């Protein structure tokens, strides 16, 4: 896209002049386009092919925000800045929704966890978000992406992709497809768990990758959690599992030297300690029984989604080179093998 041409009218809607600001793309996140607009802001173009009803997204945030204002007024919850006409979203000529956030000076986001202190702090921050939202009226929230973390749906989508994919792509992923099929028992475990009604629907973040928290620069303190697009009802295993998926290994899901993928026990423990320091008294004993399965479920789910996207022609996740989604799926499979061998 012609950046200045596209962004100028967006910034104008917020009373800002693009020519007086420095605009730089932030290359983390596979879905939306995000820009640092300095001094002072982060601007984001929402992917309208992924978020088909962007209003749901802003309505959820409004709901959470008004609950927190009343019940946890000191909690730093990331608010979108309103346009001059008082809207949370600005729609451009092509129908893309945009949002503007404040930029916090002296903060950083990371793609790999360096030590157990970072893991503890991030897990505590995600746990704190759910804890603060405990007691809000879940029925007022809608799913921004229906059945987002429903593993049985994700498996169906994988099977659908297998039946519609090109023979060339099937061939490229052949071995990987078989390996993913061999873990189908996780879908059954998941379905049984959900059917048992052992888990309670809560408002959760639903995308607890390590790069979705902001750290204070040079410390292990968290300023706030970010990327609230999927703040919606879900089960705690999705948040806990996605932290395990993205924190325990010293390398991220983009790593292609799979021998570097490891499970760091001290980090695993720090995730549990940090998360339970907030959620320990809120989760029921029955829910806690599901803790050991969380990491495998989420690693399998996200790996399946990468593989499905490859089979579908790389239409969902942003990629920067061919077969990147295959590599991501291989990376996640490697991690899954490690997680499952510990059970
Ligand atoms: C996407 O937007 P981002 O990059 O934080 C995805 C998550 C996946 C993640 C895998 C809306 O998150 O579900 O876990 O990629 N978000 C959506 O890296 O699909
Ligand atoms: Mg996201």
């Amino acid at each position: 896209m012609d950046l200045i041409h596209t962004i100028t009218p967006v910034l104008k809607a917020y009373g800002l002049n693009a020519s007086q600001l420095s605009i730089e793309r932030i290359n983390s996140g596979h879905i939306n386009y995000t820009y640092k607009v300095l001094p002072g802001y982060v601007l984001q173009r929402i992917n309208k092919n992924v978020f088909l009803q962007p209003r749901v997204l802003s309505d959820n945030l409004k709901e959470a925000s008004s609950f927190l204002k009343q019940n946890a007024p000191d909690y730093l919850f990331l608010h979108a800045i309103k346009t001059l006409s008082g809207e949370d979203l600005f729609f451009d000529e092509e129908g893309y929704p945009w949002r503007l956030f404040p930029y916090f000076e002296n903060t950083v986001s990371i793609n790999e966890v360096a030590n157990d202190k970072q893991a503890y702090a991030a897990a505590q921050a995600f746990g704190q978000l759910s804890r603060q939202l405990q007691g809000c009226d879940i029925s007022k929230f809608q799913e921004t992406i229906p059945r987002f973390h429903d593993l049985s749906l994700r498996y169906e989508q994988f099977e659908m992709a297998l039946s519609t994919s090109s023979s060339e792509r099937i061939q490229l992923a052949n071995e990987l497809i078989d390996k993913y099929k061999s873990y189908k028992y996780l879908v059954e475990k998941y379905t049984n768990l959900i059917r048992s009604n052992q888990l309670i629907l809560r408002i959760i973040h639903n995308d607890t990758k390590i790069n979705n928290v902001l750290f204070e620069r040079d410390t292990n303190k968290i300023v706030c959690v970010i990327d609230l697009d999927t703040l919606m009802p879900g089960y705690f295993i999705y948040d806990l599992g996605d932290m395990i998926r993205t924190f325990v290994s010293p390398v991220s899901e983009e790593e292609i030297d799979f021998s570097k993928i490891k499970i760091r026990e001290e980090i695993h423990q720090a995730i549990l300690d940090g998360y339970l320091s907030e959620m320990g008294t809120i989760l029921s004993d029955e829910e806690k029984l599901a803790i050991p399965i969380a990491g495998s479920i989420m690693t399998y789910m996200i790996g399946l989604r990468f593989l499905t996207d490859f089979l579908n022609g790389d239409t969902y996740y942003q990629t920067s080179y061919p077969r990147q989604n295959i590599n991501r799926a291989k990376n996640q499979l490697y991690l899954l093998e490690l997680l499952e061998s510990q059970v």
Side-chain angles (χ1 to χ4, degrees), residues 116 119-124 127 236 240-241 243-244 247-248 265-280 283 288 290-295:
D116 56 345
Y120 184 96
Q124 184 174 39
F236 87 96
L240 182 66
M243 287 189 257
I244 295 173
F247 298 9
V248 289
E265 260 323 309
E266 75 286 6
I267 303 282
H268 188 246
Q269 193 55 50
I271 298 170
L272 291 176
D273 293 346
Y275 187 71
L276 292 175
S277 72
E278 293 287 335
M279 290 296 284
L283 297 177
K288 286 182 191 159
I291 289 175
I293 198 188

Side-chain angles (χ1 to χ4, degrees), residues 31-32 207 212 227 229:
I31 308 292
N32 301 320
D207 189 8
N212 280 334
D227 191 356
D229 296 345

Side-chain angles (χ1 to χ4, degrees), residues 29-32 50-51 145 148-149 206-207 209 211-212 227 230 242 245 253 302 305-306 316-317:
H30 300 331
I31 308 292
N32 301 320
V50 167
F51 296 102
I145 300 175
F148 185 52
H149 281 149
N206 269 306
D207 189 8
K209 290 204 284 199
N211 57 18
N212 280 334
D227 191 356
T230 49
D242 212 31
R245 181 183 81 81
E253 65 195 14
I302 307 299
R305 291 175 61 199
F306 287 140
Y316 186 91
Y317 292 110

